[in-house]
Amino acid sequence: MTTETLPKTPADGAQTPQIMTGAEIVVRALLDQGVTDLFGYPGGAVLPIYDALFHEPRLKHVLVRHEQGAGHAAEGYARATGKPGVVLVTSGPGATNTVTAIVDALMDSIPLVVLTGQVPTHLIGTDAFQECDTVGITRSCTKHNFLVKDVNQLARVIHEAFAIATSGRPGPVVIDIPKDVQFASGVYVSPADAKPIHNYHPRVDGDAAAIAEAAALIAGARRPLFYTGGGVINAGPSASASLRRLAALTGAPVTSTLMGLGAFPADDPAWLGMVGMHGAYEANHAMHDCDVMVAVGARFDDRVTGRLDAFSPGSKKIHIDIDPASIGKVVRADVGIVGDAGKVLDALIAAWNRSPAPAAVPERLADWWEQIDRWRARKGFAYRPSSTLIKPQYAIERLYELTKNRDTYITTEVGQHQMWAAQFYRVQEPNRWMTSGGLGTMGYGLPAAVGVQIAHPDSLVIDIAGDASVQMTIQEMSTALQYDLPIKIFILNNEWMGMVRQWQQLLHGERYSHSYSSSLPDFVKLAEAYGGVGLRTDKPDELDDLILEMIDTPRPVIFDCRVERAENCLPMIPSGKAHNDMILGEDATDMSSVIDAAGRRLV
Amino acid sequence: MSVRDKIAPEAPASAYDMGHAAEIEHLATFAVLVDNEPGVLHRVVGLFAARGYNIESLTVAETDPGARTSRITIVTRGTPHVLSQIEAQLKKMVSARHVQDVTRDPNGVERELALVKVRVVGAQRVEAKMVADIFRASIVDTTTGGFIFEITGATSKIDKFVGLMRPLGLIEVSRTGVLSIERGAEAV
């Protein structure tokens, strides 16, 4: 034991060092970090921690059916609450099964603390049963990770893990705890007394000069645009409120990445819709033609920028991000501001209010808004309605209309349904939209819905799913039943891996190689087999009634919504094209000619 | 050679082709002060491998046992854009306490040590000894068949010395890689 691990004796001198087992330290540290829920799966190398949980009513443990589900559930929980998600799994396969969710959290900047059991210290390196090099495997896919070999460091490490996961650009932190450390007795230190191991102090306040420069640029702009991302959501609801204030002050339109949906209300007249490959026509054209782009907590992902040499060629770019490595990584920033999105937006508002009043918004931006209205008039999201088949877009529109006045949270899987959900489900508030953006993990939505429903037991939680994605983590239905979580799994069932089918149609000569979902389960019977409720329709005129029935069912529901099978997700910026080169639904007759050989090479 | 020589980047057609082909590559030396903990070197090396950066040389040792910090000196090569990304990514590491681009620092001092084994007999022995004297290399071992020289200096000096030894009978070289520190009385 080193002296620095001993808690400082408080001034009143009342406390003596608290000695407990490693397993008890874990539980106590989680409680002191304000954790109320954790997601996990027991196994040999974490049994002491599970034993300590047995007598701890303040920590609710949610037993998943696969460790990947624990990770995604924790992500959903974190995204919907702003609190870190906590995962507890065993060594070896328990740890490796969480890796997909850990990478997902890293890509989308979701704060997670993942506790993994490890074989006893003296067996590490011997290829023991259920041993794997967890810290080695997760080193490149975590924000940071720890192997704790000394029980006296355990509390300190856990407290630091929470600090790292939640500060700066949030991300996943893994703590690997050998079984003998869980059994050993050591000193517990509280968060207040724990001396940090690392000197980690990410910058949160933006540089004042850069903020003044940015404010002046925005004030002088004739065609300004806010391009916002998941960083605004991560900065907390107050950052979303600040974004709304600043957008109103400046009169500028707002677009957002997939991860940023909800930071700005979709009903606001200044909202242009999502940007990017399947984004709104008006949003992409505005990105291309703007003269000042204000990127807030967004990272110029390739799904957003499209062709880089034609990306917003005439604009000055202001890039606000808490991660200095994101600024200038893909697109050069004229003004880079490192800081927390909320704090920088507040500083921009203050700078705007201090500066001499710029010309009144209506006249300064009149031409810009006229142009935007012309783009809007093209109705980029238009689709051909049908009275006999359910169009997937129609299904989402109806789902939105019938749930918009309720306390609703949406999760998605990955693919066509995800893009249609982003286009047609009009998210109004932050933390209401949970999706796998960066990694694009099929199977994210169902366990994420479990996590959201744990955090918000009385809310309506809907996983907008595809028939292929949902089968990747379908076993978490069992978790939903066990904990009475009335999640709704709304499957847009087109019997295809729809996005794969679409790309094969557009780019690979309609050779539909292994993308048809043969042998789909009967989703209604599957729901019933799990103890839930199954609903199905393929008739547009039955849709509303069944959606309402789904909403009113106080149990887990799988809704098998049979939709038009060959529908493509449009509009689309084809690979290798610019923002002002979108294919609209109406042009989509000969799509294979739209993408050239160079575009075909791209992902 | 200055890393600051910025060539206007020719924007690529896609994020997948971000070669910054028109930018000129430079060598750069980063001094990274890290917490000395298990796996920390792997973090740094893994960062370079995962993002496709080159490592030309790498040295690492604990330099402050009290603070448990190690100093890693990495020589890398890249365009100005890549070098600024490397610096930003290194600074982002939780284990990194300080990152310094020594090449960009006018006060940066870089040194390398090499052990050079040559097989020389007869008149060549005199020639080798004479070259070593000029380069202020010292002899750490000698046999009737040859010498082992120890030489310290900038990388270019060692390159030159090795080049001169090659025709005389160079058989083996061991180099430390670059170490760096800043002139003056300030610490990082």
Side-chain angles (χ1 to χ4, degrees):
Chain A
M1 190 194 310
T2 56
T3 48
E4 60 191 1
T5 61
L6 285 169
K8 292 180 211 95
T9 310
D12 57 16
Q15 286 182 2
T16 51
Q18 302 179 69
I19 307 292
M20 51 184 94
T21 68
E24 289 164 345
I25 287 174
V26 170
V27 170
R28 176 65 188 278
L30 294 181
L31 287 170
D32 283 356
Q33 285 293 335
V35 176
T36 52
D37 305 274
L38 70 161
F39 303 87
Y41 203 104
V46 275
L47 284 178
I49 298 174
Y50 272 86
D51 204 30
L53 282 175
F54 192 69
H55 296 295
E56 185 45 78
R58 289 170 292 178
L59 275 179
K60 179 174 182 183
H61 177 274
V62 178
L63 176 67
V64 293
R65 298 301 183 266
H66 183 287
E67 289 90 347
Q68 184 189 349
H72 293 320
E75 284 187 274
Y77 182 92
R79 199 72 178 166
T81 59
K83 287 162 52 176
V86 182
V87 175
L88 174 60
V89 295
T90 192
S91 63
T96 57
N97 277 346
T98 60
V99 167
T100 300
I102 291 171
V103 184
D104 194 276
L106 184 74
M107 294 282 273
D108 286 344
S109 311
I110 311 293
L112 289 190
V113 174
V114 181
L115 305 158
T116 57
Q118 182 55 278
V119 300
T121 315
H122 67 276
L123 288 180
I124 290 177
T126 65
D127 302 318
F129 178 64
Q130 293 195 331
E131 182 191 355
C132 74
D133 177 12
T134 302
V135 283
I137 289 168
T138 58
R139 198 168 280 134
S140 67
C141 65
T142 50
K143 185 172 175 186
H144 198 69
N145 64 9
F146 299 91
L147 169 64
V148 185
K149 288 182 163 175
D150 174 2
V151 67
N152 293 304
Q153 297 289 340
L154 186 54
R156 188 182 178 198
V157 165
I158 295 172
H159 296 317
E160 179 155 291
F162 275 88
I164 292 170
T166 53
S167 60
R169 181 175 175 179
V173 178
V174 165
I175 309 171
D176 201 26
I177 312 171
K179 193 170 181 179
D180 57 327
V181 174
Q182 300 170 31
F183 276 124
S185 289
V187 178
Y188 178 76
V189 285
S190 68
D193 292 331
K195 189 169 162 270
I197 301 156
H198 297 97
N199 181 29
Y200 179 68
H201 300 292
R203 179 173 188 157
V204 291
D205 290 307
D207 175 66
I211 286 167
E213 198 183 344
L217 266 179
I218 300 169
R222 308 302 295 240
R223 300 186 305 281
L225 175 67
F226 285 97
Y227 151 52
T228 67
V232 181
I233 311 274
N234 277 337
S238 66
S240 295
S242 302
L243 171 67
R244 293 162 189 213
R245 264 203 310 282
L246 184 61
L249 279 175
T250 58
V254 181
T255 182
S256 146
T257 67
L258 180 70
M259 295 307 296
L261 295 178
F264 196 77
D267 278 351
D268 192 293
W271 173 245
L272 299 185
M274 180 177 76
V275 69
M277 182 174 270
H278 292 291
Y281 185 80
E282 50 270 37
N284 284 328
H285 276 265
M287 282 287 266
H288 189 270
D289 286 5
C290 65
D291 66 352
V292 173
M293 178 188 296
V294 190
V296 192
R299 59 184 178 86
F300 294 87
D301 179 81
D302 58 80
R303 284 296 179 272
V304 162
T305 60
R307 181 177 173 155
L308 271 179
D309 63 354
F311 175 74
S312 195
S315 64
K316 292 270 185 193
K317 291 159 191 89
I318 299 163
H319 192 174
I320 300 161
D321 206 294
I322 199 150
D323 173 13
S326 282
I327 295 173
K329 183 178 69 178
V330 179
V331 168
R332 198 174 63 85
D334 296 278
V335 182
I337 305 173
V338 177
D340 171 82
K343 287 183 187 294
V344 175
L345 286 170
D346 287 342
L348 272 173
I349 291 169
W352 182 275
N353 289 334
R354 267 198 312 273
S355 63
V361 169
E363 34 207 274
R364 197 164 43 87
L365 304 182
D367 292 347
W368 183 224
W369 279 107
E370 263 174 47
Q371 177 59 59
I372 287 169
D373 285 340
R374 281 197 290 279
W375 288 322
R376 281 175 165 163
R378 288 295 300 274
K379 301 208 177 301
F381 289 148
Y383 61 95
R384 204 181 297 272
S386 167
S387 58
T388 53
L389 293 169
I390 299 177
K391 289 282 186 166
Q393 301 94 324
Y394 177 74
I396 305 285
E397 280 185 318
R398 294 314 304 159
L399 185 69
Y400 172 67
E401 288 302 325
L402 297 170
T403 57
K404 67 180 181 186
N405 293 323
R406 296 168 192 261
D407 175 20
T408 310
Y409 291 81
I410 300 291
T411 73
T412 79
E413 310 287 339
V414 168
Q416 281 186 321
H417 67 274
Q418 177 191 30
M419 292 297 105
W420 281 316
Q423 292 172 346
F424 291 93
Y425 200 97
R426 302 175 63 79
V427 189
Q428 309 291 346
E429 294 297 329
N431 305 101
R432 299 270 169 170
W433 167 257
M434 274 58 60
T435 193
S436 171
L439 194 63
T441 310
M442 294 170 70
Y444 167 89
L446 204 170
V450 166
V452 176
Q453 191 83 76
I454 288 285
H456 303 288
D458 300 322
S459 303
L460 176 61
V461 181
I462 304 174
D463 169 28
I464 297 177
D467 51 272
S469 280
V470 76
Q471 291 190 78
M472 289 212 173
T473 50
I474 190 78
Q475 69 279 1
E476 302 306 335
M477 264 299 278
S478 188
T479 311
L481 264 294
Q482 180 176 344
Y483 296 94
D484 291 325
L485 306 173
I487 58 171
K488 316 301 179 201
I489 299 157
F490 188 76
I491 303 175
L492 297 182
N493 184 351
N494 59 7
E495 301 181 8
W496 286 92
M497 296 163 208
M499 195 60 95
V500 173
R501 190 205 57 73
Q502 177 170 341
W503 279 56
Q504 288 174 332
Q505 182 190 350
L506 300 189
L507 301 161
H508 294 277
E510 302 184 38
R511 291 179 294 280
Y512 299 117
S513 185
H514 305 284
S515 53
Y516 182 67
S517 300
S518 307
S519 310
L520 274 180
D522 180 329
F523 283 113
V524 172
K525 282 190 184 156
L526 188 62
E528 289 163 359
Y530 277 115
V533 175
L535 300 172
R536 174 182 296 130
T537 185
D538 57 1
K539 297 182 184 62
D541 52 4
E542 282 182 7
L543 187 60
D544 278 21
D545 286 347
L546 277 178
I547 289 175
L548 288 171
E549 187 179 339
M550 173 183 86
I551 294 167
D552 292 335
T553 304
R555 294 163 63 197
V557 177
I558 296 181
F559 190 129
D560 183 11
C561 185
R562 298 297 188 103
V563 297
E564 155 87 87
R565 292 182 198 172
E567 190 73 10
N568 279 325
C569 187
L570 294 164
M572 178 178 185
I573 304 175
S575 316
K577 301 278 183 178
H579 275 163
N580 57 353
D581 215 354
M582 285 196 97
I583 320 176
L584 292 172
E586 66 207 51
D587 320 324
T589 45
D590 179 21
M591 304 246 284
S592 52
S593 64
V594 179
I595 301 172
D596 56 19
R600 227 183 318 260
R601 287 194 299 116
L602 307 175
V603 180
Chain B
M1 172 166 57
S2 161
V3 182
R4 277 189 228 262
D5 302 338
K6 196 150 189 164
I7 309 294
E10 193 71 33
S14 144
Y16 299 99
D17 302 324
M18 282 189 36
H20 289 257
E23 292 185 18
I24 293 171
E25 287 200 344
H26 302 280
L27 282 174
T29 305
F30 290 100
V32 190
L33 208 60
V34 296
D35 294 304
N36 183 16
E37 57 192 0
V40 68
L41 183 60
H42 185 234
R43 278 183 210 287
V44 174
V45 174
L47 189 157
F48 275 68
R51 295 188 183 268
Y53 308 144
N54 297 313
I55 296 179
E56 306 272 332
S57 90
L58 175 77
T59 66
V60 55
E62 186 169 76
T63 48
D64 186 346
R68 294 189 53 74
T69 52
S70 291
R71 188 174 176 117
I72 299 176
T73 308
I74 306 174
V75 181
T76 182
R77 177 182 291 280
T79 62
H81 173 257
V82 166
L83 293 177
S84 65
Q85 264 294 301
I86 291 174
E87 186 170 356
Q89 294 290 354
L90 286 170
K91 282 181 173 164
K92 220 172 117 174
M93 286 179 31
V94 172
S95 310
R97 294 199 167 233
H98 186 82
V99 179
Q100 189 184 14
D101 181 347
V102 181
T103 320
R104 270 216 292 225
D105 185 339
N107 291 321
V109 179
E110 297 178 29
R111 288 291 182 272
E112 198 178 348
L113 183 145
L115 297 172
V116 180
K117 190 186 280 185
V118 287
R119 188 181 286 152
V120 281
V121 287
Q124 302 269 32
R125 285 179 71 84
V126 182
E127 174 75 12
K129 175 77 171 56
M130 203 174 73
V131 173
D133 286 344
I134 293 166
F135 278 79
R136 290 186 206 164
S138 56
I139 298 168
V140 292
D141 183 50
T142 179
T143 61
T144 52
F147 297 109
I148 297 173
F149 295 113
E150 176 189 315
I151 177 168
T152 310
T155 297
S156 57
K157 173 181 166 185
I158 293 172
D159 288 344
K160 273 192 196 127
F161 181 70
V162 170
L164 286 169
M165 285 296 149
R166 185 160 286 122
L168 294 175
L170 179 82
I171 55 171
E172 198 174 340
V173 182
S174 178
R175 298 171 72 148
T176 57
V178 173
L179 296 171
S180 67
I181 205 157
E182 207 177 351
R183 285 182 212 277
E186 304 299 313
V188 294

